[in-house]
Amino acid sequence: MKPCATELHWPQAKRLARRAVCVIAVLVATMAVPLPAARAADGAAPLLAYGARVAGDDARTRLVIEFDRSPEFSIHYVANPVRVIIDLPETSFGLKPESLEPRGLFDAIRYGGMGEGASRLVLSAKGPTEVTHAEVKPEEDGKGFRLIVDAEKIDRARFDKLLGDQQWTGTVRAAKTDRPALAPARAPGAFVVAIDAGHGGIDTGAIGIVTKTQEKHVTLAFARDLVATLNREAGIEAFLTRDGDEFLSLPQRVQIARQKGANLFISVHADTLKQKDIRGATVYTISDKASDHLAADLAARENLSDEIAGIPLESEPAEVADILIDLTRRETQAFSVNLARSVISSFEGQIGLINNPHRHAGFRVLQAPDIPSVLLELGFMSNKDDEKQLLDPAWRKKVSELLAVAVRRYRQTAVANGG
Ligand SMILES: [Zn+2]
């Protein structure tokens, strides 16, 4: 079988679709339509997806998405669990949430921005699945284009072959990390703080119980406030890992912090819990063993972020076995715990905290070996009172100011202890 490392023009791809291991469709050359506009990154408007539907059963499922212009697309597969990835140029999804309700072969369908002019749909399948046919057709009224994707249930051996034959690294952006240097360059004298707004793009995070607000918007609004507040402190330089509705993988978040020479990393979240009555803030640090069930469940869900976005899990980097890194990690861990304590003492009596507000678990976003890191759950979108606060700019301002006090205090002790 011929792997599709090269681009196939559509009529050719169509003929090969049943056999092709992946389909990279470019423009339908024969269509009497203007070329699709350049990507938004070049100043043009993104594609608009304005309608969609899914139909089928457990053997065959068809997905149809309507666009304002002819979309370029490519299709890939990821295993464990089985996912079909449809990559698109930057697309604004003006879809009713129910229009892509999963059915047939698929039990979850997600879509959103992946950053740098790219968007993606991730179809999570119940079992091994193959796209047997995919094409772009002009609408009959001549007002747009539809992407039609047909998928079929296949056996595991065939799926393994599809995976083995496809030439795809799994990331939209090159996120390859070189072996990290232990002492990245930092701006002279400045204390650099990375503020990481949890989720983004295709990964919406939790959904508010009353207003249905997505966590990714709450975390970004708070992170922006926090950066502005920290930047008013003398000697502190704060920055955002993402400043838009875009997806960043968990390793990319850590990588951005390291590249900018961060002295601290704070990841901001507002997740949901099954127990709707639980509310209040929590500060998490990393550990191999979770402090409790709640922390373990939350870390497991947070660590799903890359899976949601269709990124294959990378194996642990080789340097984890390195003894120098191990020593650095232990030292960093002690500083992370100091930061968590500083945040909690700053919040006490001012901001609602859950019982045992310092917890720990294996959050992948907290694994920079050399940057003290905490994950701050501001509150829970599953609790209506917390949700109301999280959407209140005055409350966010108050929390930002208390965090700035905590960072300042942490910095004083860290400097005193040579950190
Ligand atoms: Zn979250």
Side-chain angles (χ1 to χ4, degrees), residues 351-375:
I351 297 292
L353 292 163
I354 74 167
N355 291 338
N356 306 319
H358 178 199
R359 300 182 182 222
H360 44 90
F363 291 94
R364 291 182 61 227
V365 79
L366 301 181
Q367 62 184 359
D370 51 350
I371 308 173
S373 304
V374 297
L375 185 143

Side-chain angles (χ1 to χ4, degrees), residues 198-199 203 205-206 215 219 268-272 298 301-302 375 377:
H199 311 276
D203 174 17
E215 182 186 353
T219 59
V268 176
H269 288 260
D271 282 278
T272 56
L298 206 66
R301 257 187 296 141
E302 286 304 335
L375 185 143
E377 286 284 352

Side-chain angles (χ1 to χ4, degrees), residues 26-98:
V26 291
L27 233 205
V28 182
T30 53
M31 279 180 184
V33 291
L35 288 169
R39 291 178 177 183
D42 305 331
L47 275 175
L48 172 68
Y50 58 83
R53 58 195 168 273
V54 192
D57 53 32
D58 287 350
R60 275 182 198 84
T61 302
R62 168 170 283 194
L63 177 84
V64 178
I65 305 171
E66 294 164 317
F67 293 91
D68 64 333
R69 302 191 299 276
S70 179
E72 289 176 38
F73 70 95
S74 63
I75 292 176
H76 316 276
Y77 304 96
V78 182
N80 305 318
V82 172
R83 281 152 291 161
V84 176
I85 314 288
I86 305 175
D87 277 327
L88 295 163
E90 185 168 354
T91 302
S92 109
F93 290 93
L95 303 176
K96 292 198 185 101
E98 62 275 18

Side-chain angles (χ1 to χ4, degrees), residues 222 266-269 281-283 343 347 374-378 403:
F222 181 81
I266 302 176
S267 189
V268 176
H269 288 260
T282 326
V283 186
V343 171
F347 280 7
V374 297
L375 185 143
L376 172 64
E377 286 284 352
L378 291 163
L403 276 168

